Amino acid sequence: MDHARTAAQRLAEGRPLREVLGSAAPLWPALDREVRSLPPHELGSLRRPGRTEAATALALCHPDGRLREAALDSVSHYPGLLPLLVVRCSDWAAPVRDRARALLAEAPPAALVAQAELILLLGRRGRGGFAAELLGRVLREGPAEALHPLLESTDRATRRFAHRVAVERGLLPPARLARVAARSGDVVLQDLCAEAAIAAVREQDADDGDVLGVLLAARSPRVRAAGVTALRRAGRYGEARAHLTDRSGVVRACARYVVRQGGIDPLPLYRELCTGEEVAPGAAAGLGECGDRRRDADTLWALVRHPVPAVRAQAVTGLRTLDAVRREGLTPLLDDPSPAVVRAATRALLPHAADFPVAWLRGRDGPQSPRAVRVAARRLLRAAGFRVD
């Protein structure tokens, strides 16, 4: 890492640490590596007494374990070197490692929390568990306020760790957990907070309306699925009907489960939804997922000609799920103006690729064809065993 290499060189020149290195956690292990690569003559002066902060930083990273161990006692004079104390807690030399751990255990809790990102980064490496366990104990036993900044950390591992501790301690109300689950792009936090929000509502016997409403409106399918499943626990079976046509197959499956638990067969509902004036794309997909091939294939074939592209695409997907695909029926969709429909038709026709005339497919793989059509032709050619340049 160029930044760490430059920092190591400037430390060897005696420059203050705050001028040469930022606070980003990955820079500290990188600095440790780069110092060991410095020419010996730049590190030789460290054997003389009267160290400065820069000299102590270099000594803490020195290839000689005896110098690293001797430098540890000077960390208390330079608070800015606490990150290097954390690094030394995973040192490969046992005397250095043991002394560093003893000193870190005496550090103020606030100082440990401030190094959470670095501690968790090193915790994923060999011999890095001590500092992570120490941090966990501080967060679990200390004041709740110490967790608050970590919950909003820009580092993903730190956010996850903090939320796990907060959930264990019951520090976050169900509504906040639901909002985190609904808004986060991190699937680990989505699952953790959605499950915790639902469990908290159940344990506290609180009103679950707002919590489930937030989960059910989330962008993430896994969060919506958690919300739909929770409708069963709340005895609100009927509300799952609205999610039978969700755009996600996982959510549709959960909705069917809850509807069945409420004593209603979802299949007749899907049949009705697919023959009305307005058809939701998810209805076509759902009919394919739970329908009967002999009875429901014709309904889906009719939807293949629906004016809404998303309905056409999901009708094709439903036919594929029902194993009711006919090559001659879907071939016209390879020229559909919607790329999504072309892609769906291509996936459905891949098992029939060998039945297409090779010249016909190659003729469609040209500059005159739309991109989706060219891609479809190439996929079918490959599936048929032909080379595509």
Side-chain angles (χ1 to χ4, degrees):
M1 182 180 293
D2 292 340
H3 191 164
R5 184 177 301 112
T6 301
Q9 292 168 346
R10 291 180 176 175
L11 282 175
E13 297 169 0
R15 303 278 290 275
L17 185 64
R18 63 181 177 275
E19 293 183 9
V20 301
L21 196 68
S23 60
L27 290 177
W28 293 100
L31 175 68
D32 183 43
R33 293 191 300 270
E34 292 300 334
V35 168
R36 293 196 301 275
S37 68
L38 289 175
H41 70 272
E42 295 189 27
L43 295 173
S45 62
L46 296 178
R47 296 185 180 275
R48 296 197 297 268
R51 291 183 178 137
T52 62
E53 182 188 53
T56 304
L58 291 171
L60 286 167
C61 305
H62 199 281
D64 189 332
R66 290 168 298 181
L67 286 177
R68 295 198 303 277
E69 184 181 5
L72 288 169
D73 289 324
S74 300
V75 171
S76 60
H77 303 301
Y78 306 109
L81 294 182
L82 183 63
L84 287 177
L85 178 61
V86 174
V87 172
R88 293 281 66 84
C89 285
S90 58
D91 198 282
W92 57 93
V96 180
R97 187 169 64 246
D98 293 344
R99 180 57 181 156
R101 291 178 176 182
L103 291 172
L104 189 67
E106 299 173 357
L112 281 176
V113 174
Q115 300 302 322
E117 181 179 349
L118 175 61
I119 289 172
L120 295 174
L121 173 65
L122 294 173
R124 299 194 290 270
R125 305 180 181 181
R127 302 181 298 271
F130 173 84
E133 291 175 7
L134 184 60
L135 174 65
R137 187 159 62 248
V138 165
L139 293 176
R140 290 182 177 92
E141 298 174 0
E145 292 74 15
L147 268 171
H148 292 166
L150 302 187
L151 293 170
E152 305 297 333
S153 172
T154 57
D155 177 63
R156 183 177 63 180
T158 303
R159 287 196 309 275
R160 289 178 176 179
F161 190 83
H163 278 87
R164 287 192 188 100
V165 174
V167 167
E168 290 175 16
R169 295 184 61 179
L171 298 177
L172 302 179
R176 178 170 177 178
L177 288 167
R179 289 194 299 272
V180 172
R183 297 172 183 175
S184 176
D186 182 346
V187 295
V188 173
L189 280 186
Q190 289 172 4
D191 291 345
L192 172 69
C193 294
E195 293 172 7
I198 294 167
V201 166
R202 189 166 61 250
E203 291 170 4
Q204 298 171 15
D205 194 24
D207 180 14
D208 57 15
D210 291 339
V211 170
L212 294 191
V214 171
L215 298 179
L216 292 170
R219 293 183 59 185
S220 167
R222 61 196 310 127
V223 177
R224 295 200 304 279
V228 170
T229 304
L231 291 172
R232 181 191 65 82
R233 301 190 188 105
R236 295 159 55 180
Y237 305 101
E239 294 180 39
R241 294 178 60 166
H243 302 277
L244 289 171
T245 59
D246 192 276
R247 59 185 179 276
S248 165
V250 172
V251 180
R252 292 193 297 270
C254 291
R256 289 195 292 272
Y257 165 73
V258 176
V259 167
R260 289 191 185 102
Q261 292 295 303
I264 299 175
D265 183 357
L267 181 53
L269 300 179
Y270 275 121
R271 287 170 176 161
E272 181 181 352
L273 290 168
C274 287
T275 54
E277 293 184 3
E278 295 186 6
V279 179
L287 181 60
E289 290 160 352
C290 69
D292 176 82
R293 178 182 178 184
R294 289 172 296 180
R295 179 172 175 181
D296 298 311
D298 288 344
T299 299
L300 292 174
W301 277 112
L303 293 178
V304 162
R305 298 182 294 275
H306 196 276
V308 177
V311 175
R312 296 199 298 275
Q314 293 294 1
V316 172
T317 299
L319 288 169
R320 184 161 61 95
T321 305
L322 282 179
D323 194 21
V325 170
R326 299 194 305 269
R327 181 178 67 86
E328 63 278 9
L330 291 187
T331 297
L333 294 186
L334 294 175
D335 291 316
D336 196 277
S338 167
V341 176
V342 175
R343 288 192 295 269
T346 304
R347 287 192 294 270
L349 290 169
L350 286 175
H352 305 270
D355 298 329
F356 284 93
V358 177
W360 185 81
L361 289 176
R362 292 199 181 279
R364 304 169 69 75
D365 183 19
Q368 76 285 354
S369 299
R371 183 179 184 278
V373 173
R374 296 198 305 271
V375 171
R378 293 179 181 184
R379 291 188 65 187
L380 290 168
L381 283 167
R382 291 192 189 97
F386 294 100
R387 179 178 176 180
V388 179
D389 296 329

